[in-house]
């Protein structure tokens, strides 16, 4: 039996797509190898969001080439967003790659692998088939991704996603809910609703099938057995009153939100085409905290966007401080081919970008430490993910607020415990189990 190994880069869309890639390869009669070294088929599910992602992948492809020199039967497959952005040029620049599929064509994987026609080794461009129906393999028995939509209709001037993932398409609500019920029946207690712009879900559905994101939250909440609902990634512009109310009123929806800020300067936000300004963003944060006082908020911030002045950056620090986020992913702006901002004249020098990033990270750490320290002495519900990586006697899991918790005594993965928080850092909460209830 031929054995495959999948390496996944990028965001949760890709992690979920990798489950389908594995499911499809298994359906084609292959098995999973414990490591890349032992595999006959190497799959790279790629990301192209920043230049660094591209560089890292090229390194992996060169390593794979070296392996193929001693093992000519090795097959190398490239999937994902970088494949879509590069298309057939992959076979010219990396001739040792055997097959490639874009994120909209995962369903064509088997076909391109089996094709003997060199011109049919790539499948790109179409985003018609909803990959949600493909076979898939879940990593954890108690957690699952649930795809609501794919693609993105926004035009953020820095972002390559719309060009590699296509226009937004919402899945039929009946299909989504049937999958949610099947997952619950299969023992899944936590679902992550997925979409590049998840909370604009439903706008493109025909009128007789209309379902808003808020309605979808309530419908998944009503399913027996699902006790935790999260979603990724929402856009601030679509975080309307009905969504906030649905979050606050649905017991299964977690007290957590990832709300990408990108910049605190209204001038920069405008050039980014984010469609909100700093005032509206802070107003939204205020309404969220009013509806859900214990909500934990995380965000994404880009520094060094073209034309960003020291004053603009100060605005980002101010808005970050005022929003008091629990954590953040911080990025240095990376120009992407074909995006609007890559053509802006006023690119920021690297040293300025790095210096700003350092200052931002310091503020992020300060808030993270403070927000976590405020939880000492509280009791948190933690869903166990099994032993921690470094110490099998210590268990690792996530709170409803999506914070990493380390606790003793250890309980099996999938068990929910009440944990008393004893110590915290900017990254983790540590504590002991007060009581355990089987999930
Ligand atoms: N759909 C998601 C974003 C996916 S990309 C959303 O809108 O929230 C994840 C993050 O990468 C973005 O939020 C942004 O902060 C960052 N990012 C995207 N393009 C970038 C670029 N060209 N340079 C630096 N960071 C970028
Ligand atoms: Fe990119 Fe903006 Fe769409 Fe997010 S909302 S995927 S940042 S274009
Ligand atoms: Fe990367 Fe594609 Fe996700 S570019 S961030 S894997 S949508």
């Amino acid at each position: 039996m031929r054995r495959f190994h999948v390496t996944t880069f990028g965001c949760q869309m890709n992690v979920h797509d990798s489950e389908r890639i594995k499911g499809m390869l298994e359906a084609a009669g292959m098995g999973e190898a414990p490591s890349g070294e032992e595999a006959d088929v190497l799959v790279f599910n790629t990301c192209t969001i920043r230049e660094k992602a591209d560089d890292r992948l090229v390194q992996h492809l060169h390593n794979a080439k070296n392996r193929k020199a001693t093992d000519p039967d090795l097959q190398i497959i490239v999937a994902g967003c970088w494949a879509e952005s590069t298309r057939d040029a992959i076979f010219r620049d990396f001739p040792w790659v055997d097959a490639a599929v874009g994120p909209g064509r995962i369903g064509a994987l088997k076909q391109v692998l089996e094709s003997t026609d060199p011109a049919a080794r790539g499948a790109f461009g179409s985003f018609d088939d909803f990959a949600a129906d493909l076979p898939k393999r879940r990593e954890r028995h108690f957690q699952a991704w649930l795809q609501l939509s794919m693609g993105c209709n926004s035009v953020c001037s820095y972002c390559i996603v719309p060009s590699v993932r296509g226009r937004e398409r919402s899945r039929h609500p009946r299909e989504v809910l049937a999958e949610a019920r099947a997952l619950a029946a299969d023992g899944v207690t936590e679902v992550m609703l997925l979409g590049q712009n998840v909370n604009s879900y439903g706008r493109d559905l025909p009128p007789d099938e209309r379902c808003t994101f808020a309605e979808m939250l309530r419908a998944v909440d009503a399913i027996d057995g699902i006790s935790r609902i999260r979603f990724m990634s929402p856009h601030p512009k679509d975080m309307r009153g009905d969504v906030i109310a649905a979050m606050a009123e649905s017991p299964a929806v977690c007290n957590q939100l990832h709300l990408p800020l990108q910049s605190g300067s209204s001038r920069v936000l405008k050039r980014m085409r984010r469609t909100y300004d700093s005032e509206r963003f802070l107003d939204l944060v205020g309404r969220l905290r009013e509806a859900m006082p214990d909500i934990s908020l995380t965000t994404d911030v880009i520094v060094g966007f073209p034309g960003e002045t020291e004053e603009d950056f100060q605005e980002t620090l101010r808005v970050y401080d005022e929003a008091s986020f629990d954590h953040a992913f911080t990025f240095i702006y990376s120009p992407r081919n074909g995006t609007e901002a890559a053509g802006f004249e006023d690119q920021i020098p690297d040293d300025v970008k790095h210096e700003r990033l350092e200052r931002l990270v310091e503020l992020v750490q300060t808030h993270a430490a403070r927000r976590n320290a405020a939880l000492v002495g509280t009791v948190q519900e933690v869903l166990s993910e099994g032993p921690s990586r470094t110490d099998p006697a210590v268990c690792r899991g996530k709170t409803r607020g999506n914070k990493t918790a380390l606790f003793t005594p250890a309980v099996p993965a999938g068990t929910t415990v009440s944990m008393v928080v004893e110590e915290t850092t900017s990254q983790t909460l540590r504590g002991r189990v007060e009581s355990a209830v089987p999930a």
Side-chain angles (χ1 to χ4, degrees), residues 322-396:
E322 211 168 310
S324 191
F325 290 107
D326 288 83
H327 233 297
F329 294 114
T330 52
F331 305 106
I332 286 182
Y333 168 73
S334 170
R336 307 313 286 138
N337 261 341
T339 61
E340 186 188 0
F344 290 171
E345 306 268 296
D346 39 8
Q347 302 287 328
I348 304 294
D350 274 351
D351 55 336
V352 176
K353 289 185 190 169
H354 281 98
E355 187 264 340
R356 286 182 189 162
L357 185 76
E358 266 173 48
R359 282 150 69 200
L360 176 62
V361 166
E362 204 178 297
L363 183 67
V364 169
Q365 293 297 342
T366 306
H367 275 280
R370 194 188 301 154
R371 299 272 309 166
N372 286 352
L375 297 176
V376 170
T378 63
V379 176
Q380 299 288 326
E381 181 200 291
V382 181
L383 178 57
S384 167
E385 292 173 359
S388 78
R389 269 174 236 141
T390 48
D391 182 354
V394 175
C395 225
R396 180 194 162 89

Side-chain angles (χ1 to χ4, degrees), residues 16 144-148 171 176 179-180 183 191-194 220:
H16 188 42
W145 315 106
L146 181 55
Q147 188 168 12
L148 292 197
R171 249 176 111 190
V176 175
E179 188 179 342
L183 289 170
V191 292
M192 168 74 88
L193 310 181
L194 275 188
V220 179

Side-chain angles (χ1 to χ4, degrees), residues 49-50 158 196 233 260 262 300 302 331-334 336:
I49 196 81
R50 284 168 289 274
Y158 50 82
Q196 273 306 340
S233 12
Q262 312 300 7
D300 290 346
I302 299 174
F331 305 106
I332 286 182
Y333 168 73
S334 170
R336 307 313 286 138

Side-chain angles (χ1 to χ4, degrees), residues 49 151-162 196-197 233-235 237 260 262 272-274 302:
I49 196 81
C152 180
N153 285 356
S154 291
V155 287
C156 303
S157 59
Y158 50 82
C159 186
I160 195 157
V161 169
Q196 273 306 340
N197 200 333
S233 12
H235 194 299
K237 75 176 163 59
Q262 312 300 7
M272 286 179 162
R273 298 194 189 274
R274 288 294 288 178
I302 299 174

Side-chain angles (χ1 to χ4, degrees), residues 285-308:
V285 168
R287 284 185 288 129
L288 284 162
R289 291 206 191 279
E290 196 176 318
M292 292 162 278
D294 64 348
I295 194 168
S296 69
L297 292 178
T298 52
T299 195
D300 290 346
V301 184
I302 299 174
V303 300
F305 184 80
E308 183 188 71

